[in-house]
Amino acid sequence: MPAVVIDGKEAARKKLEEAAAGAAALKKRGLVPCLAVILAGDNPASLSYVAGKEKALAEAGMESRNFRFPGEISEERILALIAELNADRSVHGILVQRPLPGHIREDRIIAALDPAKDVDGFHPLSVGNMILGRRAFLPCTPRGVLTLLKEMKIPTGGAHAVVVGRSNIVGRPLANLLASREINATVTVCHTGSGDLGRYTREADILIAAAGAPGLITAPMVKAGAAVIDVGVNRLPDGSAKKGYRLTGDVDFHGVVERASFITPVPGGVGPMTVAMLLLNLLEAAAENAGS
Ligand code: NAP
């Protein structure tokens, strides 16, 4: 039997409704959750991600303030803006869209954020608190993946989760959260030094692909009945597509759908959840600000 295809759009819609309801409740107390979005340069994927986030914020009754800069913007100018936004009580969250232009040190920018406004969960204090199991904004994509697993009632306790990818924004935090007491999975992390990837992925009850390598995970690499979550978003040139490219994940969907029990599509899987989680993080930041 083919896998259940997880509808990330529908799951995200429910979470966006929650966020909108939360925003409406705060509005009654005179507070509108507000996200400052900083974008430097004109990376087409970044522009499209930012537009998607702004649209979702508006639809949920939240505010966004946009700070768009040419790619040549100096690090000091961005740091000065962050200092202003940190001090601005009407701004509850600050998002710095990645990737930043090469001359800007991302570490320095992220470390300058007030951790109370770090709704992306990338600040070293947020990461440290997350690892220690303390309250922290969880990075949006990992939180989105965990929420999808929960919504689909995919058992995690005692499951073997294999995460392909160890980036600071997806693989590393996700592996850490999966191994937490609450989620209780046993975790293997794979990367480019892992050698024969299939040796590990075939052991996975839950397989999470976050490598940015189109079609990396094929059916023979998947255990029958595994839940497969495809985080990868890869743009492949496609002359027949209107935009000249198509989006594809890290998983060979057509092969793996015949072998897995659950699978997320790309697009329409993890992506929409990432945006929904950002709104929930912002809502929490704003509620905190209101002292609730
Ligand atoms: P990244 O920083 O490039 O990290 C990729 C990770 O995957 C690295 O740890 C790398 O290993 C590993 N890797 C790459 N190729 C591999 C291979 N052939 N075999 C084994 N491991 C491999 O990427 P990222 O920022 O984590 O993003 C990963 C993917 O998720 C991208 O496609 C990105 O567009 C997508 N993404 C999607 C969302 C969403 O909302 N859906 C959000 C964020 C990212 P090394 O450490 O050894 O280099």
Side-chain angles (χ1 to χ4, degrees), residues 141 165-167 169-170 191-192 197 210-212 216 231-234 270-271 274:
T141 303
R166 58 176 163 188
S167 74
I169 62 161
V170 190
H191 42 75
T192 56
L197 211 54
L216 177 67
V231 180
V233 179
N234 308 293
V270 174
T274 297

Side-chain angles (χ1 to χ4, degrees), residues 49-248:
Y49 288 141
V50 164
K53 288 167 189 174
E54 286 166 356
K55 182 168 173 276
L57 285 160
E59 283 171 3
M62 299 182 180
E63 192 189 329
S64 60
R65 274 186 225 164
N66 311 314
F67 300 90
R68 253 167 225 173
F69 299 108
E72 306 78 49
I73 180 87
S74 74
E75 196 174 276
E76 296 312 321
R77 176 70 192 88
I78 297 185
L79 288 171
L81 172 62
I82 289 177
E84 273 174 42
L85 296 170
N86 281 345
D88 185 339
R89 285 184 56 83
S90 66
V91 171
H92 308 105
I94 306 171
L95 181 146
V96 182
Q97 185 63 44
R98 303 168 62 252
L100 286 166
H103 64 282
I104 294 176
R105 286 164 289 181
E106 196 174 299
D107 288 4
R108 222 177 144 216
I109 300 294
I110 299 299
L113 297 174
D114 176 351
K117 300 188 180 187
D118 173 36
V119 287
D120 252 344
F122 294 162
H123 190 283
L125 200 73
S126 307
V127 178
N129 280 332
M130 175 197 71
I131 289 173
L132 294 170
R134 295 183 189 150
R135 208 155 161 264
F137 290 118
L138 299 183
C140 302
T141 303
R143 184 175 174 187
V145 171
L146 296 180
T147 306
L148 272 186
L149 293 174
K150 196 170 169 193
E151 293 288 313
M152 299 309 294
K153 300 189 170 45
I154 294 167
T156 55
H160 182 196
V162 174
V163 180
V164 182
R166 58 176 163 188
S167 74
N168 288 341
I169 62 161
V170 190
R172 208 179 283 255
L174 190 50
N176 210 280
L177 291 163
L178 284 161
S180 67
R181 281 191 188 280
E182 293 72 36
I183 312 286
N184 233 12
T186 301
V187 181
T188 300
V189 181
C190 298
H191 42 75
T192 56
S194 297
D196 176 12
L197 211 54
R199 180 177 152 208
Y200 304 100
T201 58
R202 272 189 289 275
E203 299 294 318
D205 303 310
I206 299 172
L207 176 57
I208 297 170
L216 177 67
I217 307 295
T218 56
M221 296 167 78
V222 175
K223 177 160 126 179
V228 179
I229 307 291
D230 192 353
V231 180
V233 179
N234 308 293
R235 285 183 175 216
L236 292 189
D238 182 349
S240 67
K242 213 159 93 187
K243 292 182 175 168
Y245 66 86
R246 67 190 158 87
L247 294 181
T248 182

Side-chain angles (χ1 to χ4, degrees), residues 32-44:
V32 179
C34 173
L35 180 71
V37 181
I38 302 175
L39 174 63
D42 53 8
N43 178 313

